[in-house]
Amino acid sequence: FIAWGEGKTYAVVIGIDEYVKSSIPALRYAVADAKLFSQALQDVVHVPKENIFLMTSDSPEETAQPKLTNVAYRLGYLREKVTKEDTVIFYFAGHGLTMDGQSYLLTEEADNRNGAALKFSALRGSDLTDLLKVYGAKKAMVMLDACRNSPGKANNTLDDKFSKDMVNAGGIEQSATLFSCSVGERSWEWDEKKHGFFTYFLVEGLRQQAADTTGNVTLQNLSNYVSNATAESTGRLASAKQNPFMHYQGTGQQNWLL
């Protein structure tokens, strides 16, 4: 059973429930989602634990807290490790937004008072995709659960600018960005499961729910399963629209065995 690439697989996995700034609403299950996905990478995809860099807002270890400098360090660290046969995975569960024409993933200490403050306190989408380009990895996958529902907030839906900024990964042979919802939608949390709908079904898909008749889980089958299961469940249980989608660059996505 192979992992995501022919070489080694590395993953940066981030989940943020509590933000330093009170102006950024807390989430309930982003940390749980990151931990669930990290465990699935080990159990199902067989990524070695030492190749997974998990950062969560409840971590007692300073270096494992999802601050901008820690995230930037790990992404820079991988630049020295990754070869052309390797695969890089980036997973983020938390808030994302667009301000002053820039798209951001809000790291733990993000300051959203204005665009200037965000520039120095959150991860810009362009910086993330630029780093992925220089890795030289054969495959890269980005999974973004970044427009999660926030009670009382009506402006945190996925916008077109954000979705476009997060897929510019040219120079990589195969790259996929899986968004937890479509433009104009939010990503919803599931109280019964204590996870987000998107990540819950992402992991269920990896655990064979998205398998084909031969028992294999391919990238295309996983994307289809997550999209269909999430849309059906959020519509039925949350009376909400949430339609995950994938942006893919390269060839042979049907043969990308997960």
Side-chain angles (χ1 to χ4, degrees):
F1 190 97
I2 65 171
W4 299 66
E6 296 173 0
K8 296 180 180 179
T9 300
Y10 298 93
V12 175
V13 181
I14 299 167
I16 307 172
D17 282 341
E18 298 288 339
Y19 284 85
V20 173
K21 289 289 184 181
S22 59
S23 57
I24 302 176
L27 295 167
R28 292 167 293 176
Y29 310 127
V31 167
D33 283 353
K35 292 178 178 179
L36 180 69
F37 182 69
S38 176
Q39 193 62 51
L41 288 179
Q42 296 175 62
D43 297 343
V44 183
V45 190
H46 305 301
V47 180
K49 185 177 181 179
E50 60 269 22
N51 288 4
I52 301 173
F53 303 103
L54 175 65
M55 301 181 191
T56 58
S57 56
D58 68 342
S59 176
E61 298 180 22
E62 194 280 331
T63 57
Q65 294 166 2
K67 299 174 182 177
L68 177 59
T69 52
N70 287 339
V71 175
Y73 168 74
R74 280 303 175 196
L75 291 172
Y77 169 82
L78 287 182
R79 183 188 302 179
E80 308 300 322
K81 300 282 290 184
V82 172
T83 72
K84 64 180 181 179
E85 295 301 322
D86 295 339
T87 295
V88 175
I89 301 166
F90 181 87
Y91 170 97
F92 181 90
H95 286 301
L97 59 79
T98 302
M99 184 179 287
D100 294 348
Q102 292 282 347
S103 298
Y104 297 92
L105 298 176
L106 302 191
T107 46
E108 187 176 36
E109 79 285 31
D111 187 335
N112 64 338
R113 287 178 293 175
N114 59 33
L118 266 182
K119 181 179 179 180
F120 293 100
S121 63
L123 180 62
R124 284 186 291 184
S126 58
D127 289 340
L128 173 62
T129 55
D130 285 348
L131 280 167
L132 291 175
K133 290 178 192 177
V134 301
Y135 284 166
K138 185 174 184 179
K139 297 179 180 179
M141 174 167 276
V142 176
M143 303 178 191
L144 299 175
D145 201 347
C147 294
R148 298 171 76 108
N149 58 304
S150 304
K153 297 290 182 178
N155 61 346
N156 66 320
T157 58
L158 180 69
D159 64 42
D160 188 59
K161 170 68 174 172
F162 186 92
S163 67
K164 289 179 178 177
D165 284 351
M166 295 294 173
V167 301
N168 186 18
I172 298 174
E173 185 176 325
Q174 293 174 285
S175 66
T177 305
L178 193 57
F179 292 90
S180 61
C181 60
S182 294
V183 172
E185 298 177 350
R186 297 181 185 181
S187 181
W188 293 88
E189 297 193 316
W190 194 351
D191 287 332
E192 180 183 348
K193 301 294 185 182
K194 299 190 184 305
H195 287 289
F197 283 90
F198 170 75
T199 297
Y200 177 82
F201 288 117
L202 177 65
V203 171
E204 286 294 292
L206 286 173
R207 290 176 173 164
Q208 295 297 299
Q209 291 300 313
D212 59 22
T213 55
T214 66
N216 291 324
V217 177
T218 65
L219 176 62
Q220 185 62 64
N221 286 348
L222 178 64
S223 175
N224 292 342
Y225 170 78
V226 173
S227 180
N228 293 335
T230 301
E232 190 279 329
S233 295
T234 53
R236 178 169 50 87
L237 299 172
S239 299
K241 290 184 178 180
Q242 184 180 341
N243 295 275
F245 73 99
M246 178 176 68
H247 183 278
Y248 182 81
Q249 296 179 142
T251 59
Q253 66 194 71
Q254 294 87 354
N255 299 322
W256 186 342
L257 180 64
L258 308 185

